[in-house]
Amino acid sequence: LAVTGLKILHEFAHAYTAKAMGLRVPVMGVAFLVMWPVAYSDVSDAWRLPDRRKRLAIALAGIAVELVVAGAALFLWAASPPGLARSIFFVLSSGSLASTLLVNLNPAMNFDGYYLLMDLWGIDNLRPRSLALARWSWRRTFLGLDAPTPEPGISRRRQWAMTAYAVFAFTYRLVLYLSIALFVYHAFTKLLGIILFGVEVWWFIARPFVQEGKALFALRSRIRMNRRLAATLAGTGLVLAWAALPMSHAFRAPAMIAPALSQTIYAPNPGRIERLAASPYQRVEA
């Protein structure tokens, strides 16, 4: 309940900051992200503001509120005696810091960090433009396809930054969606899990590769054998040949044997073990 209240404060911070800038907030509500309810507020009218600092203030408002709450909760956690209140303060301080820094500030997803990065770089529609530039770069590098750049007039440094962002965002989403697919498979019944796993893998992982394959098939008349394409084909052939070789592989990993049924006991107060009633390998009755 405390974390839910914190997330509601986060969204109200966005909404009230947008209202203070003279904007309209048409919708606030609850959305479902992988069947998990999340609060949201529609502050998309911020693009109307010509002042970049005001747009940054709207995007940073929710993070600022969470950091203030995290700081206050951290102080109260240190000053509180052991009990429920101290546990709540700990969850608020650690949870808000983790969610704010790892999720909200992450520019790979359409959260606050993405809009902050767009305003800091001064690039609208950053993700689709970066992905288009990354596709152009990899086609030129690995296929030798000579085509005009989708971002004419930008500096080489900005081009490298946008390409690096596209690679990071795509890799992050690939790992995230694959993790979600595995979670869906294990969290639900096997039949529903298999169906949802297939939908996740197809929609978020396989579909982009299929679309790129269709685009390359449409450009097949412009693809000619060249040094870069020959190097790519040779490297791919070597990797496939290495994967097909019947080589013996060994993998070592630490493991721990645990009972199928167990219960963790938490002591309400600090204590000390004085004596063990059983010795190792001793047989005991239930």
Side-chain angles (χ1 to χ4, degrees), residues 259-278:
L261 297 176
S262 62
Q263 181 177 2
T264 304
I265 300 176
Y266 297 96
N269 298 306
R272 182 178 69 251
I273 297 178
E274 295 183 347
R275 184 177 63 89
L276 291 176

Side-chain angles (χ1 to χ4, degrees), residues 121-142:
W121 281 3
I123 302 176
D124 297 328
N125 301 319
L126 175 61
R127 179 172 296 111
R129 292 171 63 182
S130 297
L131 289 174
L133 187 61
R135 279 194 297 268
W136 173 81
S137 297
W138 95 262
R139 289 173 183 176
R140 183 184 180 191
T141 302
F142 296 101

